[in-house]
């Protein structure tokens, strides 16, 4: 499986997926930490991928998404954006609507 196939498999396997620097318990940049806080505040069930664990994926995802920075949030396989977009959407209530079907059990 090549790196693009791995990305597509991850996106198909998780309705809400955050590619981030570090993990939710130990984010390795402020933007990733904030993205996790936003998702936690939304009450959504989500998965994460630590881009530092896979340098090939880290570089390929930039090309795949046409988005040069991390974190990157995907919902139902579609790129939502990074931390700033997540924050704007959270403040306006748009993110909660988008995540509506992904509430934690």
């Amino acid at each position: 499986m090549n790196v693009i196939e791995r990305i597509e498999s991850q996106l198909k396997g998780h309705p809400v997926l955050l590619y981030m620097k570090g993990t939710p318990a130990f984010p390795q940049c402020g933007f990733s930490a904030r993205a996790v806080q936003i998702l936690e505040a939304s009450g959504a069930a989500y998965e994460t991928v630590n881009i530092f664990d896979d340098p090939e994926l880290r570089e390929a995802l930039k090309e795949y998404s046409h988005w040069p920075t991390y974190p990157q949030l995907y919902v139902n396989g579609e790129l939502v954006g990074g931390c700033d977009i997540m924050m704007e959407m959270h403040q306006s209530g748009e993110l909660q609507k988008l995540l509506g079907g992904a509430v934690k059990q």
Side-chain angles (χ1 to χ4, degrees), residues 89-103:
M89 290 179 74
H90 177 69
Q91 290 173 340
S92 73
E94 286 179 71
L95 187 63
Q96 290 81 345
K97 289 177 188 171
L98 183 63
L99 298 172
V103 177

Side-chain angles (χ1 to χ4, degrees), residues 9-84:
S9 176
Q10 290 170 341
L11 293 174
K12 286 177 187 167
H14 306 289
V16 181
L17 184 61
L18 181 68
Y19 289 94
M20 64 179 289
K21 294 178 178 178
T23 64
F26 189 64
Q28 295 184 1
C29 83
F31 295 114
S32 289
R34 188 69 183 133
V36 167
Q37 290 173 342
I38 292 166
L39 287 171
E40 287 294 322
S42 76
Y46 66 96
E47 294 294 327
T48 63
V49 173
N50 180 356
I51 60 165
F52 290 141
D53 287 344
D54 190 340
E56 182 183 29
L57 181 137
R58 180 181 180 184
E59 291 307 312
L61 189 60
K62 291 178 189 179
E63 295 293 321
Y64 181 86
S65 66
H66 304 290
W67 195 267
T69 60
Y70 294 100
Q72 293 183 16
L73 176 65
Y74 287 80
V75 176
N76 296 321
E78 298 291 324
L79 176 66
V80 173
C83 184
D84 291 344

